[in-house]
Amino acid sequence: TKPENERADLSLLLGFIRILGLGVLFSPTLLVRYTVYAAILALVWRIRERRSAGLALALTPCVSLGFYVVMNTVAWALSSPPWAYAKTLAGWWQSQTIGLAIPGAPPSYVFLRNALVGDALFTLLFLAVMIWLPRRLSADAPLPVIDSSLKGTKSAA
């Protein structure tokens, strides 16, 4: 019958994925991550006409925080022994704040802090280039000239 054939085909496909070591590409965690990336892309695509530096700066921490909460929720939901969160509200809160007590591992909030700082710096750099570059390449600003006679010369040091 058709459903049995489809299940057999799916089992065969999953077997090949496992044999080839591609299972990590299709893990639930990565599928959720790809979905979150797609949602962020859809959000940006939807507001592309209203782009401004202020909007980018306002959305950056919101997107960073949203990504952090979603991915830590996935980690909480899929955690298994020996390093597992309690499947309670307290366990979920632990996943969002201090994380698991793994020796040598930093608390979860360190990842949020680093993501916020990194995303903010990237956004500022991106905005600086996007604002500076059109001004630099405008008709009244000459393009920089690279002197080819300097190639291969040694410094006087």
Side-chain angles (χ1 to χ4, degrees):
T1 64
K2 192 171 184 173
E4 289 175 1
N5 288 341
E6 288 176 358
R7 270 186 264 147
D9 291 344
L10 180 60
S11 294
L12 186 62
L13 175 64
L14 292 175
F16 279 125
I17 288 171
R18 190 173 294 128
I19 289 169
L20 295 173
L22 299 175
V24 71
L25 296 176
F26 302 101
S27 71
T29 303
L30 280 182
L31 293 176
V32 171
R33 184 175 296 182
Y34 296 149
T35 303
V36 172
Y37 289 150
I40 293 168
L41 182 62
L43 171 70
V44 171
W45 185 260
R46 196 168 163 87
I47 63 170
R48 70 186 183 279
E49 298 301 323
R50 293 178 288 187
R51 63 180 173 228
S52 70
L55 184 61
L57 291 171
L59 281 180
T60 297
C62 296
V63 169
S64 298
L65 182 62
F67 183 82
Y68 174 84
V69 169
V70 168
M71 293 313 300
N72 276 8
T73 299
V74 170
W76 165 77
L78 298 178
S79 66
S80 59
W83 304 106
Y85 292 107
K87 302 301 186 248
T88 63
L89 184 59
W92 178 83
W93 185 249
Q94 179 187 1
S95 75
Q96 302 299 319
T97 54
I98 60 172
L100 293 170
I102 299 173
S108 296
Y109 64 82
V110 171
F111 294 101
L112 176 60
R113 181 200 64 197
N114 293 347
L116 288 169
V117 170
D119 292 347
L121 290 175
F122 176 82
T123 302
L124 288 170
L125 178 66
F126 186 81
L127 288 173
V129 168
M130 294 305 292
I131 291 169
W132 173 80
L133 195 58
R135 291 180 183 165
R136 183 74 180 139
L137 296 178
S138 67
D140 56 346
L143 291 174
V145 178
I146 299 173
D147 188 0
S148 61
S149 66
L150 296 177
K151 289 183 181 177
T153 61
K154 295 183 179 181
S155 64

